[in-house]
Amino acid sequence: DGSVVAYLPPEGVGREGEADDATEEEVEAAPALWRLLHTDGDVEEVELDELEEALAAAAEGRSVEQEVEQLLEAAWEALEMGVALFGESGQTLPLAEAHERLADAALQNAQPERAFEEYGAARQLLLQLRESGELPPDHRRLADIEFYLGLTQLHLGDGRSAKAHYEQAMLLLQLRRAN
């Protein structure tokens, strides 16, 4: 919820709508902005399409929570699509990264079981790349995955497994430092 409190013309256009020194291309590259004052005191500058979407959401009675939920759902679907596409194409490193991003999203959305599954899939792919020589043995992403597997295990209540993952992350980072 909020109010439009100001209109900012495109850069290079004066208050009366007449072009200043700017060329037509420069004016088109710097769109007009609307300044919104949210009820929580935040101020945001948005372009016309964002303003129209916000007005449509308000007219339909959609809450901010519903909007956020829609965005999260769309992001989740995009990540799952990335996993499917990279899996079909055989691109192992991007596939591992897609699994890692899905795991991050799951962990942030209080789904530690799903996060553990996705981090595990990412680790398996990275280990395959390391074994084939496509990744160095001390690749930073392997340490990161081990760290997040540990964090996920803590969320699941398994401190012993978490410690093992943290130790593995530490060993990988020590190996990296030695090289």
Side-chain angles (χ1 to χ4, degrees):
D1 290 334
S3 303
V4 175
V5 294
Y7 169 76
L8 306 168
E11 198 171 301
V13 174
R15 289 192 181 271
E16 275 66 40
E18 298 173 9
D20 293 342
D21 307 0
T23 66
E24 194 172 313
E25 292 82 20
E26 290 172 330
V27 170
E28 287 180 20
L33 298 173
W34 282 260
R35 183 168 292 150
L36 303 179
L37 174 62
H38 296 277
T39 54
D40 63 3
D42 285 345
V43 175
E44 178 181 17
E45 293 177 356
V46 299
E47 294 181 14
L48 180 60
D49 59 334
E50 295 170 299
L51 178 64
E52 289 172 342
E53 176 60 31
L55 292 171
E60 294 170 13
R62 290 182 292 187
S63 69
V64 172
E65 292 80 15
Q66 289 170 322
E67 290 291 306
V68 168
E69 184 65 31
Q70 271 186 319
L71 290 172
L72 285 174
E73 189 174 315
W76 197 274
E77 289 172 6
L79 288 169
E80 288 176 334
M81 187 180 302
V83 166
L85 291 173
F86 288 127
E88 289 175 7
S89 72
Q91 298 179 47
T92 308
L93 190 57
L95 177 58
E97 186 173 343
H99 278 292
E100 189 177 354
R101 296 293 77 81
L102 260 175
D104 293 343
L107 195 57
Q108 291 174 3
N109 286 287
Q111 298 177 13
E113 295 88 2
R114 174 78 187 264
F116 186 76
E117 177 184 316
E118 296 295 341
Y119 284 130
R123 181 178 63 176
Q124 278 305 117
L125 292 165
L126 293 174
L127 289 173
Q128 288 172 7
L129 289 171
R130 184 175 76 176
E131 289 170 15
S132 70
E134 296 176 60
L135 269 184
D138 61 349
H139 196 275
R140 173 64 191 238
R141 185 167 279 155
L142 284 167
D144 290 345
I145 293 288
E146 290 295 342
F147 173 83
Y148 283 107
L149 280 166
L151 183 63
T152 302
Q153 290 290 41
L154 280 179
H155 282 274
L156 292 169
D158 188 350
R160 182 172 293 174
S161 292
K163 182 180 177 194
H165 287 292
Y166 289 141
E167 288 171 349
Q168 183 62 34
M170 184 179 67
L171 290 172
L172 286 164
L173 292 172
Q174 288 172 341
L175 177 62
R176 185 173 177 83
R177 178 186 274 175
N179 291 336

